[in-house]
Amino acid sequence: MKNFAAVFIFLLFINVITPVAYCRIYSQFDGGMETAPATSPAPDRQQSTDIITLFDKSTGGLIQLSLTDYLVGAAACEMPASYEAEAIKAQMIAIHSYYDYCQEHPEYIENGYITVEEASMKGYASPSRLQQYWGINYYDYYNKFLRCANEVSNMILTYREQPALTTYYAVSCGKTQSSKEQWGQELPYLTVVDSSFDGVSDDYLQMNSFTVNEMYAVLKSSFPFLEISEETPEQWFGDIIYSESGYAKFVPVGIDNIPGDQFRDALHLPSSCVIVFFEDGMFSVATKGYGHGVGMSQFGANQLSQQGKKYNEILSHYYPGTTLTTKS
């Protein structure tokens, strides 16, 4: 923990210089957003007969809507409208697959329904909410998402003829993490795959600083059983135990081991891929990635799309061994 400056310079080189070079290599690919003229009518809806039921935590009531509307409203909450269409299609199939998986595995959902918060655009947003959010770009963006939904609304990913648990998140730390490492549940298609192209994301590398008093307060309020002394902060942290992908499995604090996810949540960090430094009376916590790291990286999906990959190729990369299935 005494070599913060040297380690930070090394991280800066790896995570800034290398991604810049990567961007230059792939600058030949056209990353332009597909849009329709603002005055053009919305595409014809190819509505599925499926009815989706969600629990809206912001109102305490149920929402019932068509599958097409759900895919548009859910994907718009998960991905920026500037993302490539192929990435958005991959996201929609992941959303649909996850929904179907949860219907068959009610232990994954609360009160039998997937919970959303439409007011804060978590999980789903209605057309009126999207119009408020997108403003003057609403018609362009809505048409773009609707075209994607019309193309893939009847598709899901399956494993052994059953819906796959298609988890996703914003940005990986450079590799995806296995479901066994993260949740203790081993699924062959939620394993470690390369996602090094996430290194060009603005959210890839972040630094957070804490005074001794701030770190002590956070640790003791979240983990009151910890035996640490305010007089010896340089002795608080031991060598972090990492998973194969680089996410913290355990963060040694004092004589205890804090699970990586609990440490992340306590400090409100974007990822459990962490390094902790103590120097000049301050703690610095470096993180890589944004989210749990299991399944599809949304930023990575967009990068693959910019390289010319189609949605089926993106899905097969992040969920190896699954089958893209057309529902009857």
Side-chain angles (χ1 to χ4, degrees):
M1 293 192 292
K2 293 293 187 181
N3 298 315
F4 168 71
V7 176
F8 180 72
I9 290 172
F10 173 76
L11 287 173
L12 188 65
F13 177 82
I14 293 298
N15 297 297
V16 176
I17 304 302
T18 301
V20 168
Y22 176 91
C23 284
R24 289 177 178 173
I25 291 172
Y26 290 107
S27 61
Q28 62 197 26
F29 297 106
D30 181 10
M33 180 181 64
E34 294 183 8
T35 58
T39 56
S40 64
D44 292 336
R45 293 169 176 267
Q46 301 172 12
Q47 294 281 20
S48 167
T49 56
D50 290 349
I51 298 298
I52 302 298
T53 303
L54 308 169
F55 175 74
D56 188 353
K57 191 174 180 179
S58 55
T59 65
L62 296 179
I63 302 174
Q64 286 194 321
L65 64 159
S66 72
L67 173 60
T68 303
D69 287 339
Y70 174 55
L71 294 180
V72 171
C77 293
E78 293 293 342
M79 283 187 163
S82 60
Y83 272 21
E84 301 286 337
E86 294 302 309
I88 294 172
K89 294 172 194 174
Q91 178 66 66
M92 288 181 171
I93 293 171
I95 289 170
H96 190 178
S97 306
Y98 182 83
Y99 182 89
D100 281 9
Y101 182 92
C102 289
Q103 299 311 299
E104 297 188 9
H105 298 81
E107 66 271 19
Y108 278 87
I109 47 182
E110 183 179 356
N111 300 322
Y113 303 106
I114 288 180
T115 299
V116 301
E117 291 185 49
E118 185 179 1
S120 54
M121 295 187 63
K122 293 181 180 179
Y124 170 74
S126 64
S128 59
R129 181 68 181 89
L130 290 175
Q131 188 167 22
Q132 181 185 39
Y133 178 67
W134 283 331
I136 61 174
N137 296 312
Y138 169 74
Y139 292 106
D140 285 349
Y141 291 163
Y142 189 83
N143 284 352
K144 176 182 179 179
F145 277 76
L146 186 55
R147 284 195 298 271
C148 292
N150 283 341
E151 184 172 341
V152 302
S153 63
N154 63 339
M155 300 179 188
I156 64 168
L157 283 185
T158 59
Y159 181 75
R160 294 182 177 176
E161 300 183 353
Q162 297 298 316
L165 178 60
T166 46
T167 54
Y168 42 84
Y169 52 94
V171 184
S172 82
C173 73
K175 292 181 180 179
T176 67
Q177 183 167 213
S178 72
S179 59
K180 183 178 181 179
E181 289 279 15
Q182 177 66 17
W183 299 309
Q185 178 185 10
E186 185 172 10
L187 293 171
Y189 53 87
L190 292 179
T191 186
V192 179
V193 303
D194 177 70
S195 194
S196 54
F197 20 79
D198 281 325
V200 301
S201 169
D202 291 340
D203 293 321
Y204 181 69
L205 178 64
Q206 298 188 41
M207 295 291 297
N208 294 271
S209 297
F210 301 86
T211 66
V212 172
N213 288 339
E214 289 171 340
M215 182 65 80
Y216 184 85
V218 168
L219 291 176
K220 291 297 287 185
S221 63
S222 300
F223 314 106
F225 55 85
L226 291 177
E227 296 181 9
I228 53 177
S229 170
E230 292 181 87
E231 305 302 319
T232 56
E234 70 278 1
Q235 299 177 12
W236 290 356
F237 291 94
D239 294 332
I240 296 175
I241 303 168
Y242 294 100
S243 69
E244 176 186 351
S245 300
Y247 292 88
K249 296 173 64 175
F250 295 101
V251 180
V253 183
I255 62 173
D256 295 288
N257 285 326
I258 305 301
D261 284 352
Q262 293 183 26
F263 183 76
R264 176 200 64 196
D265 293 343
L267 272 66
H268 302 289
L269 302 173
S271 166
S272 62
C273 181
V274 300
I275 303 175
V276 181
F277 308 97
F278 181 71
E279 192 169 64
D280 298 330
M282 291 287 296
F283 285 100
S284 295
V285 183
T287 62
K288 291 197 297 184
Y290 199 112
H292 51 65
V294 182
M296 186 176 72
S297 161
Q298 294 161 329
F299 185 89
N302 194 55
Q303 291 297 106
L304 287 174
S305 181
Q306 289 179 352
Q307 296 176 33
K309 302 297 184 182
K310 300 301 182 183
Y311 63 85
N312 59 311
E313 296 174 294
I314 295 169
L315 292 168
S316 65
H317 176 78
Y318 282 109
Y319 307 106
T322 58
T323 301
L324 187 59
T325 304
T326 300
K327 295 178 66 176
S328 57

